[in-house]
Amino acid sequence: MSKIAKLKTAPPDHLEVSLFDPEMDLLLRAGIGGLATTLLWIERSIQSEQCDDDEIPASWVDQGVPWKLHSDKILLNFVDPGKVEDVFKPIFRIAFGLNERAIDLPTTYIGKQPQSVRINLQRGLMLTFLQHGKTRTGDKKDSDLNLDIDGKPYQFSTRCIDWYKHQDGYQDLVNKKSGTLSKKTAELPGTLYPGAAVRHNGFAGQTKYEGSVSQLLAAYFAPIGTLALPINRGSAVLLVPDVQDLLLFADNRRKITPLSYRDCLIGGSGDAVLQLYARLRGDDTQQKLAVASVTAFVFRPTAWASQQKSRVAADKIEPLDARRLEIFRYAKDYFAPRKASRKVTEKTGKGKLAKSTERDEFFWSDSIVRPLIADNLAHRRDWFAGFTKLFVDRDPANGKPFRDRLPFERTGLINMIKADVWDKPGQMALIGAVHHALRGRYGQIASETANQKAAMQNRFRGEYDRWRLAFSGAKTADQFRHSICDLFSRVPANKELQANWTDVLPWLDESGWQHARDLALLALASYQGKGAKELAAVAEASEAGDSLTT
Amino acid sequence: MIGLYVTVPIASFRRGAAREYWETLPLPAPSTVYGFLLSMVGEVDRERHIGARCTAGVIGHPHESTVLRKLWRIKDKKLGLGNGANVRPDYQELLTDVRLVIWLDSSEEEQPAVGTLQQRVAESLTNDGRHRITRFGGLSLGESTHMVDEVLPIERAPELADESVRLFLLDKSGNFTLPVWVDHVGSSGTRNALGRLMDANFEPPNVERLPQIKNPMMVTNK
């Protein structure tokens, strides 16, 4: 038998990564955007002569960079096809860094990134891309870190890291024996493509998620093209922009990154996406955005996989129209995260030598109303839709009812109601009518319990709880109508209702009663006057009682 | 080209990369449409009508919801399917009241002895042709439990003049990829088409903009 000579083909001397390759899906296209961002950053560093000689090869400075950036593709050229690593290694080294033992992605911001932002973004990455312990080395436990913000000490918790998988990602793109570009398909594990897990672990080899070398390269740069932000310690949102133009995206990517710790605070996927759009726009609301839409993937532990953060929701959100954008701006202003403090008591020594010292610990407390408004606007609903949930649901992070935090939102709610946020007749009138009725009820209680402070507070609280339960517990239009008419009937001469009765009435029918229920509870939460002040004082006293003892 | 009006009360068209949290596409991919048409005409060889062009358009906006359901997987090969560790819950997105327009063109299909897919589909919609088809199971689109309610030629569909339809059509600078051939075991054999969801009417689209069903392995072997 004659031997058939194996045809040797020359190793590839270039790699084209195209934004419009049919095999590139949303996340991978964002990854190509991340690669373009990195390459543009290097080009600009060379042009401005601000590059670090250790990081950027001298040949790139002298003879030009070995790639060409286009609006729809990236062309990487290999002068020596047997030494592909010479091109990839410096790019990966620059893109994926470490600063003070925290993940640092220098191409995603300009100037100096505050440490508080860096450790928060790292937490986002660790809840999405870098979940598994094998994808990083460093400390096994979180450590506390005190950072000064505006002259006040804030305590943060962070995990110190010495290495992570993306830093050595270039090795997977190279054929280890020949040093040429790998031609094999490679696995895209959850570290590179969160959510694309092995389908059947019993047949892991056959059912893993795989891609070509250009897909693998795009997946490695996904953390730069996307933005991962933690919602709390156990859940995060991965924001994946729909990249349409690589040059435009690379030029604007840095605007997506939060500048301060306060900007990192988000309450959900809608909130995260709308804040991203707001950063991208800056002050120019008419500006053409560098991304067509943003898809938010939520990651959190599930009851059946508590060790890992699984993908549990996906939401494609397009930029808002001018009207909704205006309402979101009000929400951002009135429901901004607030600085709060609590007393921390520290005990040292034992027996007679035991000493207790008390100190103030500062923290950021985020709004629970802004995320709701953002979600509603993102899904083109009325901004107050689902307000009832804030009276019924519990915070998944700590199991406490959301309604306990509503007294702190009262000022914001009052400002929001007074702002230009009402588009339909009767909505404002319904709130005014409920306010009038509550004022009447609290006034009656005050006159009945004059000079009996404790009894007055109990009656105020009982009255608040009565309407809270009546409205939030209403499951049908009839039940709600019964409750609200009961409230209205107890206080005569409701001028707001008398003047706008015809506008209010449609909200109480079968199709509108749920909106009316949300509005009635919004009115209850935003009521100011006698009774509300006493209830707010009780809530504040309750929060102060939550001081920590260590 | 032939146009069909198809309704599915409950459906889910899973994205390929969504292996946890079964996210749905807004409409069935060309590969899903092709599988549905093969099932409709009783064809069990999925390579029989390679070269056919097909796509789907979704009428209106089906309601989207998320349910928690039981999914099977093979984690422990020694256990039976759906037993012990081989079953787990997960979330799945569902679409309800799905109404679709499906376009099929077989002009680039090799002429098999049994006739082109377009001919067979057209025949299956006649009373005589329907009786000549041998097939098994209920007709479904997407998952096997997501049963199809009605299939009609587009000309016999209910009044659609006031409706909007979003159709998946090929576009070299599109932002939406859908599979035209699926590797049901891994993912390396899956091939996608790049296109865009476009607002369209109920007239037949340009044939060249319909995604073509191709098996990458057959091309490689040739």
Side-chain angles (χ1 to χ4, degrees), chain A residues 29-43:
Chain A
R29 281 211 303 275
I32 300 172
L35 177 61
T37 304
T38 305
L39 300 182
L40 189 66
W41 188 91
I42 297 172
E43 285 179 14

Side-chain angles (χ1 to χ4, degrees), chain A residues 20-25 29 185 193-203 206-210 242 244 297 299-300 302 304 308-314, chain B residues 14 16-21 23 68 72-77 88-91 93 172-177 183-188 190-194 196:
Chain A
F20 300 119
D21 178 345
E23 305 311 319
M24 295 292 181
D25 63 9
R29 281 211 303 275
T185 56
Y193 198 123
V198 172
R199 188 176 285 161
H200 302 290
N201 280 316
F203 298 96
Q206 298 95 322
T207 63
K208 62 191 176 190
Y209 196 69
E210 292 175 301
D242 182 1
Q244 296 284 295
F297 296 98
F299 290 80
R300 65 169 165 78
T302 55
W304 56 92
Q308 66 188 63
K309 280 73 190 168
S310 307
R311 195 157 77 160
V312 294
Chain B
R14 185 166 65 90
R19 291 180 166 200
E20 56 181 30
Y21 184 73
E23 193 187 341
L68 185 65
W72 72 266
R73 59 168 175 187
I74 302 171
K75 189 172 185 179
D76 187 345
K77 284 188 264 188
R88 74 185 175 103
D90 212 332
Y91 295 105
E93 286 182 351
K172 283 180 183 171
S173 58
N175 61 349
F176 201 49
T177 56
D183 179 346
H184 289 290
V185 180
S187 64
S188 58
T190 297
R191 288 294 172 268
N192 294 283
L194 179 68
R196 199 176 276 280

Side-chain angles (χ1 to χ4, degrees), chain A residues 402-462:
Chain A
F402 280 125
R403 63 174 178 273
D404 290 354
R405 290 163 65 184
L406 280 174
F408 304 103
E409 308 276 3
R410 178 171 287 117
T411 310
L413 289 171
I414 292 165
N415 289 330
M416 194 74 187
I417 287 168
K418 286 179 183 168
D420 174 24
V421 293
W422 303 105
D423 293 330
K424 293 172 189 164
Q427 292 176 332
M428 183 71 179
L430 183 65
I431 289 177
V434 174
H435 279 169
H436 179 92
L438 287 173
R439 197 172 300 117
R441 284 298 300 146
Y442 284 135
Q444 286 168 2
I445 292 167
S447 64
E448 286 163 17
T449 55
N451 303 325
Q452 301 170 57
K453 199 178 173 188
M456 190 191 289
Q457 275 190 356
N458 284 342
R459 293 271 313 269
F460 281 152
R461 185 184 289 183

Side-chain angles (χ1 to χ4, degrees), chain A residues 83-365:
Chain A
K83 288 184 179 174
V84 172
E85 193 175 299
D86 291 351
V87 173
F88 287 128
K89 190 173 175 181
I91 297 172
F92 275 75
R93 287 280 184 239
I94 290 165
F96 303 107
L98 283 168
N99 190 344
E100 295 177 284
R101 298 188 76 196
I103 294 172
D104 183 31
L105 306 176
T107 62
T108 60
Y109 60 88
I110 283 186
K112 201 177 172 200
Q113 190 171 48
Q115 198 179 355
S116 57
V117 174
R118 197 180 309 126
I119 60 173
N120 206 48
L121 296 179
Q122 172 179 293
R123 187 169 292 282
L125 288 171
M126 286 171 59
L127 291 166
T128 52
F129 289 98
L130 297 166
Q131 289 184 35
H132 203 280
K134 284 184 180 173
T135 60
R136 49 191 154 81
T137 58
D139 293 354
K140 300 283 181 199
K141 286 181 179 174
D142 283 2
S143 47
D144 290 337
L145 189 68
N146 279 306
L147 295 174
D148 263 27
I149 298 177
D150 300 337
K152 287 177 180 169
Y154 283 77
Q155 196 175 46
F156 294 91
S157 175
T158 183
R159 184 76 58 93
C160 293
I161 285 180
D162 298 319
W163 169 88
Y164 55 102
K165 185 179 169 74
H166 291 72
Q167 292 187 299
D168 292 338
Y170 61 90
Q171 292 174 357
D172 294 343
L173 305 168
V174 181
N175 183 326
K176 286 189 179 64
K177 281 184 186 169
S178 60
T180 57
L181 189 69
S182 174
K183 288 180 182 173
K184 289 180 185 171
T185 56
E187 183 183 2
L188 299 178
T191 315
L192 303 182
Y193 198 123
V198 172
R199 188 176 285 161
H200 302 290
N201 280 316
F203 298 96
Q206 298 95 322
T207 63
K208 62 191 176 190
Y209 196 69
E210 292 175 301
S212 64
V213 70
S214 52
Q215 285 175 290
L216 185 66
L217 178 62
Y220 263 114
F221 280 84
I224 293 177
T226 60
L227 179 68
L229 288 172
I231 299 173
N232 51 44
R233 291 176 69 87
S235 58
V237 176
L238 178 65
L239 303 174
V240 185
D242 182 1
V243 179
Q244 296 284 295
D245 184 314
L246 289 176
L247 297 176
L248 188 65
F249 180 78
D251 202 26
N252 285 278
R253 168 60 185 87
R254 66 187 187 280
K255 292 182 187 169
I256 290 174
T257 308
L259 293 174
S260 65
Y261 182 74
R262 191 174 137 155
D263 292 341
C264 294
L265 297 173
I266 53 154
S269 53
D271 189 25
V273 175
L274 296 197
Q275 289 204 44
L276 183 150
Y277 282 138
R279 284 195 294 275
L280 209 49
R281 275 200 175 92
D283 294 327
D284 184 3
T285 54
Q286 303 300 318
Q287 189 192 341
K288 189 192 171 213
L289 294 177
V291 295
S293 66
V294 175
T295 303
F297 296 98
V298 179
F299 290 80
R300 65 169 165 78
T302 55
W304 56 92
S306 55
Q307 294 290 312
Q308 66 188 63
K309 280 73 190 168
S310 307
R311 195 157 77 160
V312 294
D315 228 344
K316 182 182 172 184
I317 298 170
E318 288 173 357
L320 298 183
D321 54 68
R323 176 64 183 142
R324 288 194 172 85
L325 192 63
E326 187 188 0
I327 296 175
F328 182 65
R329 289 194 156 202
Y330 285 127
K332 258 191 86 182
D333 288 347
Y334 299 144
F335 302 106
R338 65 187 175 95
K339 291 173 189 171
S341 66
R342 61 186 160 212
K343 297 275 183 212
V344 179
T345 310
E346 283 175 343
K347 285 180 181 171
T348 51
K350 285 182 178 178
K352 288 181 180 177
L353 296 173
K355 272 188 179 177
S356 292
T357 49
E358 212 173 62
R359 63 179 171 84
D360 283 327
E361 189 179 281
F362 294 90
F363 63 97
W364 286 94
S365 178

